[in-house]
mmCIF file of all heavy atoms in Angstrom:
data_model
loop_
_atom_site.group_PDB
_atom_site.id
_atom_site.type_symbol
_atom_site.label_atom_id
_atom_site.label_comp_id
_atom_site.label_asym_id
_atom_site.label_seq_id
_atom_site.Cartn_x
_atom_site.Cartn_y
_atom_site.Cartn_z
ATOM 1 N N GLU A 111 37.174 15.226 16.048
ATOM 2 C CA GLU A 111 37.086 16.520 15.623
ATOM 3 C C GLU A 111 38.329 17.125 14.978
ATOM 4 O O GLU A 111 38.224 17.936 14.042
ATOM 5 C CB GLU A 111 36.733 17.502 16.891
ATOM 6 C CG GLU A 111 36.638 18.950 16.546
ATOM 7 C CD GLU A 111 35.388 19.226 15.723
ATOM 8 O OE1 GLU A 111 34.395 18.487 15.680
ATOM 9 O OE2 GLU A 111 35.383 20.272 14.980
ATOM 10 N N THR A 112 39.459 16.610 15.468
ATOM 11 C CA THR A 112 40.755 17.091 14.895
ATOM 12 C C THR A 112 41.656 15.831 14.659
ATOM 13 O O THR A 112 41.522 14.822 15.358
ATOM 14 C CB THR A 112 41.528 18.060 15.869
ATOM 15 O OG1 THR A 112 41.716 17.417 17.135
ATOM 16 C CG2 THR A 112 40.750 19.273 16.097
ATOM 17 N N PHE A 113 42.578 16.038 13.714
ATOM 18 C CA PHE A 113 43.509 14.903 13.429
ATOM 19 C C PHE A 113 44.831 15.346 13.159
ATOM 20 O O PHE A 113 45.086 16.546 12.896
ATOM 21 C CB PHE A 113 43.019 14.163 12.195
ATOM 22 C CG PHE A 113 43.089 14.908 10.866
ATOM 23 C CD1 PHE A 113 44.223 14.738 10.062
ATOM 24 C CD2 PHE A 113 42.136 15.823 10.479
ATOM 25 C CE1 PHE A 113 44.342 15.469 8.872
ATOM 26 C CE2 PHE A 113 42.212 16.577 9.347
ATOM 27 C CZ PHE A 113 43.346 16.376 8.521
ATOM 28 N N GLY A 114 45.780 14.448 13.466
ATOM 29 C CA GLY A 114 47.220 14.752 13.141
ATOM 30 C C GLY A 114 47.662 13.721 12.191
ATOM 31 O O GLY A 114 47.158 12.585 12.068
ATOM 32 N N VAL A 115 48.765 14.117 11.497
ATOM 33 C CA VAL A 115 49.359 13.173 10.450
ATOM 34 C C VAL A 115 50.885 12.924 10.854
ATOM 35 O O VAL A 115 51.590 13.880 11.229
ATOM 36 C CB VAL A 115 49.339 13.838 9.062
ATOM 37 C CG1 VAL A 115 49.982 12.939 8.064
ATOM 38 C CG2 VAL A 115 47.877 14.124 8.711
ATOM 39 N N ILE A 116 51.215 11.616 10.818
ATOM 40 C CA ILE A 116 52.663 11.246 10.964
ATOM 41 C C ILE A 116 53.159 11.176 9.506
ATOM 42 O O ILE A 116 52.780 10.167 8.807
ATOM 43 C CB ILE A 116 52.749 9.942 11.708
ATOM 44 C CG1 ILE A 116 52.181 10.113 13.128
ATOM 45 C CG2 ILE A 116 54.247 9.535 11.782
ATOM 46 C CD1 ILE A 116 52.255 8.840 14.010
ATOM 47 N N ALA A 117 54.095 11.979 9.247
ATOM 48 C CA ALA A 117 54.742 12.100 7.861
ATOM 49 C C ALA A 117 55.993 11.206 7.945
ATOM 50 O O ALA A 117 56.608 11.031 8.959
ATOM 51 C CB ALA A 117 54.975 13.462 7.389
ATOM 52 N N ILE A 118 56.416 10.840 6.728
ATOM 53 C CA ILE A 118 57.735 10.135 6.587
ATOM 54 C C ILE A 118 58.905 11.031 6.865
ATOM 55 O O ILE A 118 59.778 10.852 7.701
ATOM 56 C CB ILE A 118 57.942 9.642 5.126
ATOM 57 C CG1 ILE A 118 57.064 8.300 5.043
ATOM 58 C CG2 ILE A 118 59.338 9.330 4.783
ATOM 59 C CD1 ILE A 118 57.749 7.038 5.702
ATOM 60 N N ALA A 119 58.827 12.261 6.253
ATOM 61 C CA ALA A 119 59.952 13.223 6.319
ATOM 62 C C ALA A 119 59.456 14.642 6.309
ATOM 63 O O ALA A 119 58.345 14.914 5.868
ATOM 64 C CB ALA A 119 60.911 13.026 5.154
ATOM 65 N N GLN A 120 60.215 15.605 6.850
ATOM 66 C CA GLN A 120 59.939 16.962 6.842
ATOM 67 C C GLN A 120 59.471 17.496 5.465
ATOM 68 O O GLN A 120 58.547 18.294 5.291
ATOM 69 C CB GLN A 120 61.056 17.806 7.424
ATOM 70 C CG GLN A 120 60.714 19.312 7.626
ATOM 71 C CD GLN A 120 59.601 19.583 8.587
ATOM 72 O OE1 GLN A 120 59.594 18.926 9.724
ATOM 73 N NE2 GLN A 120 58.718 20.440 8.284
ATOM 74 N N ARG A 121 60.230 17.096 4.384
ATOM 75 C CA ARG A 121 59.976 17.561 3.065
ATOM 76 C C ARG A 121 58.583 17.034 2.450
ATOM 77 O O ARG A 121 58.202 17.597 1.488
ATOM 78 C CB ARG A 121 61.121 17.296 2.171
ATOM 79 C CG ARG A 121 61.369 15.826 1.789
ATOM 80 C CD ARG A 121 62.490 15.576 0.867
ATOM 81 N NE ARG A 121 62.639 14.248 0.455
ATOM 82 C CZ ARG A 121 63.473 13.807 -0.547
ATOM 83 N NH1 ARG A 121 64.056 14.776 -1.320
ATOM 84 N NH2 ARG A 121 63.640 12.534 -0.834
ATOM 85 N N SER A 122 58.063 16.043 3.084
ATOM 86 C CA SER A 122 56.768 15.614 2.684
ATOM 87 C C SER A 122 55.639 16.505 3.126
ATOM 88 O O SER A 122 54.583 16.571 2.498
ATOM 89 C CB SER A 122 56.464 14.158 3.217
ATOM 90 O OG SER A 122 57.470 13.209 2.906
ATOM 91 N N ILE A 123 55.804 17.264 4.220
ATOM 92 C CA ILE A 123 54.771 17.973 4.881
ATOM 93 C C ILE A 123 54.165 19.091 3.964
ATOM 94 O O ILE A 123 52.984 19.246 3.814
ATOM 95 C CB ILE A 123 55.158 18.477 6.225
ATOM 96 C CG1 ILE A 123 55.417 17.279 7.177
ATOM 97 C CG2 ILE A 123 54.147 19.452 6.825
ATOM 98 C CD1 ILE A 123 55.909 17.668 8.578
ATOM 99 N N PRO A 124 55.059 19.929 3.285
ATOM 100 C CA PRO A 124 54.445 20.989 2.376
ATOM 101 C C PRO A 124 53.549 20.349 1.210
ATOM 102 O O PRO A 124 52.466 20.936 0.950
ATOM 103 C CB PRO A 124 55.726 21.613 1.710
ATOM 104 C CG PRO A 124 56.835 21.459 2.831
ATOM 105 C CD PRO A 124 56.505 20.067 3.419
ATOM 106 N N ARG A 125 53.989 19.215 0.718
ATOM 107 C CA ARG A 125 53.220 18.561 -0.309
ATOM 108 C C ARG A 125 51.867 18.068 0.272
ATOM 109 O O ARG A 125 50.764 18.310 -0.332
ATOM 110 C CB ARG A 125 53.935 17.315 -0.802
ATOM 111 C CG ARG A 125 53.345 16.595 -1.938
ATOM 112 C CD ARG A 125 54.251 15.642 -2.583
ATOM 113 N NE ARG A 125 54.558 14.484 -1.670
ATOM 114 C CZ ARG A 125 55.759 14.230 -1.205
ATOM 115 N NH1 ARG A 125 56.727 15.097 -1.212
ATOM 116 N NH2 ARG A 125 55.900 13.152 -0.474
ATOM 117 N N HIS A 126 51.770 17.508 1.476
ATOM 118 C CA HIS A 126 50.602 17.163 2.115
ATOM 119 C C HIS A 126 49.701 18.307 2.442
ATOM 120 O O HIS A 126 48.454 18.279 2.333
ATOM 121 C CB HIS A 126 50.841 16.347 3.462
ATOM 122 C CG HIS A 126 51.653 15.018 3.209
ATOM 123 N ND1 HIS A 126 52.242 14.392 4.267
ATOM 124 C CD2 HIS A 126 51.835 14.358 2.107
ATOM 125 C CE1 HIS A 126 52.786 13.300 3.759
ATOM 126 N NE2 HIS A 126 52.570 13.279 2.447
ATOM 127 N N MET A 127 50.299 19.412 2.836
ATOM 128 C CA MET A 127 49.536 20.613 3.245
ATOM 129 C C MET A 127 48.880 21.235 2.041
ATOM 130 O O MET A 127 47.720 21.698 2.044
ATOM 131 C CB MET A 127 50.395 21.713 3.885
ATOM 132 C CG MET A 127 50.943 21.303 5.344
ATOM 133 S SD MET A 127 49.561 21.004 6.419
ATOM 134 C CE MET A 127 48.834 22.653 6.533
ATOM 135 N N ARG A 128 49.541 21.223 0.879
ATOM 136 C CA ARG A 128 48.913 21.648 -0.375
ATOM 137 C C ARG A 128 47.657 20.914 -0.650
ATOM 138 O O ARG A 128 46.605 21.457 -1.112
ATOM 139 C CB ARG A 128 49.868 21.594 -1.532
ATOM 140 C CG ARG A 128 51.006 22.627 -1.508
ATOM 141 C CD ARG A 128 51.680 22.731 -2.974
ATOM 142 N NE ARG A 128 52.344 21.414 -3.334
ATOM 143 C CZ ARG A 128 53.543 21.117 -3.016
ATOM 144 N NH1 ARG A 128 54.341 21.901 -2.181
ATOM 145 N NH2 ARG A 128 54.104 19.937 -3.455
ATOM 146 N N TYR A 129 47.752 19.622 -0.427
ATOM 147 C CA TYR A 129 46.606 18.755 -0.798
ATOM 148 C C TYR A 129 45.589 18.963 0.182
ATOM 149 O O TYR A 129 44.313 18.976 -0.262
ATOM 150 C CB TYR A 129 47.179 17.256 -0.645
ATOM 151 C CG TYR A 129 46.155 16.277 -1.307
ATOM 152 C CD1 TYR A 129 45.311 16.506 -2.303
ATOM 153 C CD2 TYR A 129 46.221 14.936 -0.769
ATOM 154 C CE1 TYR A 129 44.451 15.679 -2.841
ATOM 155 C CE2 TYR A 129 45.374 13.927 -1.331
ATOM 156 C CZ TYR A 129 44.446 14.316 -2.371
ATOM 157 O OH TYR A 129 43.634 13.384 -2.876
ATOM 158 N N LEU A 130 45.725 19.142 1.453
ATOM 159 C CA LEU A 130 44.699 19.471 2.437
ATOM 160 C C LEU A 130 43.994 20.744 2.147
ATOM 161 O O LEU A 130 42.889 20.932 2.386
ATOM 162 C CB LEU A 130 45.258 19.444 3.879
ATOM 163 C CG LEU A 130 45.575 18.068 4.453
ATOM 164 C CD1 LEU A 130 46.271 18.215 5.860
ATOM 165 C CD2 LEU A 130 44.303 17.289 4.719
ATOM 166 N N ARG A 131 44.803 21.766 1.643
ATOM 167 C CA ARG A 131 44.239 23.006 1.286
ATOM 168 C C ARG A 131 43.343 22.839 0.121
ATOM 169 O O ARG A 131 42.192 23.466 0.109
ATOM 170 C CB ARG A 131 45.314 24.126 0.953
ATOM 171 C CG ARG A 131 45.954 24.733 2.218
ATOM 172 C CD ARG A 131 46.780 25.987 1.832
ATOM 173 N NE ARG A 131 47.847 25.692 0.908
ATOM 174 C CZ ARG A 131 49.060 25.328 1.267
ATOM 175 N NH1 ARG A 131 49.384 25.204 2.538
ATOM 176 N NH2 ARG A 131 50.015 25.092 0.363
ATOM 177 N N GLN A 132 43.691 22.003 -0.835
ATOM 178 C CA GLN A 132 42.848 21.767 -1.962
ATOM 179 C C GLN A 132 41.493 21.087 -1.496
ATOM 180 O O GLN A 132 40.467 21.329 -2.027
ATOM 181 C CB GLN A 132 43.565 20.832 -2.961
ATOM 182 C CG GLN A 132 44.630 21.529 -3.770
ATOM 183 C CD GLN A 132 45.495 20.493 -4.535
ATOM 184 O OE1 GLN A 132 45.114 19.347 -4.700
ATOM 185 N NE2 GLN A 132 46.603 20.960 -5.167
ATOM 186 N N MET A 133 41.545 20.260 -0.519
ATOM 187 C CA MET A 133 40.410 19.485 -0.004
ATOM 188 C C MET A 133 39.517 20.406 0.934
ATOM 189 O O MET A 133 38.516 20.150 1.371
ATOM 190 C CB MET A 133 40.826 18.302 0.709
ATOM 191 C CG MET A 133 41.529 17.253 -0.107
ATOM 192 S SD MET A 133 42.129 15.828 0.810
ATOM 193 C CE MET A 133 40.615 15.126 1.475
ATOM 194 N N GLY A 134 40.147 21.545 1.400
ATOM 195 C CA GLY A 134 39.475 22.566 2.280
ATOM 196 C C GLY A 134 39.405 22.047 3.690
ATOM 197 O O GLY A 134 38.457 22.352 4.376
ATOM 198 N N LEU A 135 40.358 21.296 4.128
ATOM 199 C CA LEU A 135 40.285 20.669 5.486
ATOM 200 C C LEU A 135 41.333 21.031 6.393
ATOM 201 O O LEU A 135 41.536 20.424 7.487
ATOM 202 C CB LEU A 135 40.353 19.060 5.239
ATOM 203 C CG LEU A 135 39.241 18.422 4.459
ATOM 204 C CD1 LEU A 135 39.476 16.953 4.261
ATOM 205 C CD2 LEU A 135 37.877 18.754 5.201
ATOM 206 N N THR A 136 42.028 22.157 6.110
ATOM 207 C CA THR A 136 43.204 22.613 7.057
ATOM 208 C C THR A 136 42.612 22.992 8.436
ATOM 209 O O THR A 136 43.379 22.902 9.387
ATOM 210 C CB THR A 136 43.986 23.691 6.441
ATOM 211 O OG1 THR A 136 43.170 24.737 6.027
ATOM 212 C CG2 THR A 136 44.869 23.162 5.248
ATOM 213 N N ASP A 137 41.405 23.420 8.581
ATOM 214 C CA ASP A 137 40.898 23.799 9.805
ATOM 215 C C ASP A 137 40.688 22.683 10.793
ATOM 216 O O ASP A 137 40.677 22.925 12.008
ATOM 217 C CB ASP A 137 39.454 24.458 9.591
ATOM 218 C CG ASP A 137 39.626 25.854 8.968
ATOM 219 O OD1 ASP A 137 40.610 26.393 8.769
ATOM 220 O OD2 ASP A 137 38.496 26.409 8.657
ATOM 221 N N ARG A 138 40.571 21.502 10.342
ATOM 222 C CA ARG A 138 40.462 20.322 11.185
ATOM 223 C C ARG A 138 41.849 19.660 11.554
ATOM 224 O O ARG A 138 41.917 18.629 12.362
ATOM 225 C CB ARG A 138 39.582 19.245 10.540
ATOM 226 C CG ARG A 138 38.159 19.828 10.222
ATOM 227 C CD ARG A 138 37.250 19.794 11.408
ATOM 228 N NE ARG A 138 36.901 18.505 11.952
ATOM 229 C CZ ARG A 138 35.919 17.757 11.427
ATOM 230 N NH1 ARG A 138 35.158 18.142 10.465
ATOM 231 N NH2 ARG A 138 35.599 16.598 12.027
ATOM 232 N N LEU A 139 42.937 20.102 10.907
ATOM 233 C CA LEU A 139 44.277 19.529 11.050
ATOM 234 C C LEU A 139 44.792 20.135 12.356
ATOM 235 O O LEU A 139 45.006 21.345 12.389
ATOM 236 C CB LEU A 139 45.136 19.844 9.916
ATOM 237 C CG LEU A 139 46.517 19.301 10.104
ATOM 238 C CD1 LEU A 139 46.660 17.857 10.025
ATOM 239 C CD2 LEU A 139 47.567 19.981 8.962
ATOM 240 N N ALA A 140 45.227 19.327 13.300
ATOM 241 C CA ALA A 140 45.845 19.726 14.538
ATOM 242 C C ALA A 140 47.312 19.927 14.281
ATOM 243 O O ALA A 140 47.932 20.902 14.840
ATOM 244 C CB ALA A 140 45.694 18.721 15.606
ATOM 245 N N GLY A 141 47.958 19.049 13.444
ATOM 246 C CA GLY A 141 49.350 19.211 13.139
ATOM 247 C C GLY A 141 49.778 17.994 12.386
ATOM 248 O O GLY A 141 49.248 16.997 12.172
#
Side-chain angles (χ1 to χ4, degrees):
E111 181 64 25
T112 58
F113 68 97
V115 178
I116 299 178
I118 283 284
Q120 183 65 42
R121 66 176 180 168
S122 302
I123 293 176
R125 186 169 69 250
H126 297 165
M127 291 301 297
R128 284 196 299 272
Y129 195 27
L130 284 174
R131 283 196 298 272
Q132 290 172 7
M133 294 173 69
L135 295 175
T136 51
D137 287 350
R138 301 280 293 274
L139 176 70

